[in-house]
Amino acid sequence: MTLDLPPGSIELLPDMSVLLTRSRTLVLADTHFGKSAAFRARGLPVPEGDTAADLARIDLLLREHSVSQLVIAGDLLHARVGCTAEVLDLLLPWLEKSETTISLVEGNHDAKCGKNPLGKNWPLLNELTVDGFHILHNPDEELDNTSGFHLGGHLHPAVKIKDGTGTGFRTPVFWLRANQLVLPAFGSFTGGQFYRYQHEKDRLFTPLNNRVVELPSQLW
């Protein structure tokens, strides 16, 4: 699904990411690499493989959409204890060998990892602007800022779709509110959070059957 927003055209992709069509920039947020490793470090029997699987998902997106630049809008990493040799041995070569320009915005989880475990070649930015879109991690920090249009993550927005019988299903959403688009979490081992989507101009979009559709307000 393509949205025409004040800075320009943006495509919502079913794999929890967006494409800025003018510059072919792929933006995603909240990969939380190392989250499953952090759980295993605390004795929970969580399966491995999510880091490799999510990197493969990104590679597929880069190829399918002829991406010129990738921006990860915060929380690339999950926790210091999750920055294991196994995780970094997958992530660092992937970053170094990528043919796509990669920019990393610092998230709150990245900041808690201490000194950047990715090294000096991969500085973490506070924010950046691409095609007129201001990309940052926590959009709540700019909620009252009416200057420009913001893309962010951090909130992991999700919604429970009602079916009128007391049941339903939970799905991640892209949340368009005021002059912001909040992205769903990209990481496959990352959950979602329900919010009060109350403003009459709020719009929610969700991946469904390999495309993105807008959710009628009566469903949420």
Side-chain angles (χ1 to χ4, degrees):
M1 170 176 282
T2 300
L3 299 178
D4 291 320
L5 299 172
S9 177
I10 186 170
E11 186 176 353
L12 308 184
L13 303 177
D15 205 355
M16 316 301 174
S17 52
V18 300
L19 184 70
L20 309 186
T21 55
R22 189 191 317 165
S23 63
R24 309 303 296 177
T25 296
L26 182 72
V27 184
L28 55 92
D30 299 288
T31 52
H32 286 269
F33 289 124
K35 183 173 182 178
S36 64
F39 276 80
R40 288 192 296 274
R42 289 173 168 80
L44 292 174
V46 176
E48 300 181 32
D50 55 305
T51 298
D54 285 345
L55 290 176
R57 288 169 58 207
I58 297 175
D59 282 336
L60 182 60
L61 286 165
L62 297 179
R63 292 193 303 270
E64 284 188 338
H65 299 282
S66 303
V67 172
S68 64
Q69 179 179 195
L70 168 66
V71 180
I72 299 180
D75 286 357
L76 174 78
L77 301 169
H78 181 69
R80 188 192 304 243
V81 70
C83 294
T84 62
E86 291 79 8
V87 170
L88 294 179
D89 284 349
L90 287 171
L91 183 56
L92 286 171
W94 179 83
L95 288 168
E96 297 292 346
K97 293 178 181 179
S98 177
E99 298 179 358
T100 303
T101 300
I102 299 176
S103 298
L104 306 175
V105 174
E106 185 177 55
N108 56 304
H109 280 262
D110 299 312
K112 292 178 182 177
C113 289
K115 186 177 179 181
N116 184 3
L118 302 177
K120 63 181 181 180
N121 292 333
W122 295 100
L124 302 178
L125 310 173
N126 290 326
E127 61 179 78
L128 76 162
T129 300
V130 181
D131 294 356
F133 292 91
H134 303 305
I135 305 171
L136 70 166
H137 179 59
N138 183 358
D140 275 349
E141 295 176 353
E142 297 290 343
L143 190 56
D144 296 324
N145 183 354
T146 59
S147 175
F149 194 94
H150 305 91
L151 296 178
H154 180 63
L155 302 178
H156 303 193
V159 70
K160 184 175 181 180
I161 305 298
K162 306 169 187 176
D163 66 359
T165 67
T167 61
F169 71 94
R170 174 177 176 156
T171 183
V173 293
F174 298 88
W175 181 9
L176 182 62
R177 58 178 189 175
N179 60 334
Q180 297 186 346
L181 179 66
V182 186
L183 276 61
F186 184 86
S188 57
F189 195 62
T190 304
Q193 299 186 60
F194 300 133
Y195 289 89
R196 292 181 179 271
Y197 307 102
Q198 291 182 329
H199 196 282
E200 62 180 9
K201 293 185 178 181
D202 283 1
R203 298 171 66 187
L204 302 182
F205 307 84
T206 192
L208 186 66
N209 295 330
N210 203 35
R211 61 194 180 106
V212 177
V213 299
E214 184 166 4
L215 293 174
S217 59
Q218 61 266 28
L219 291 181
W220 45 273

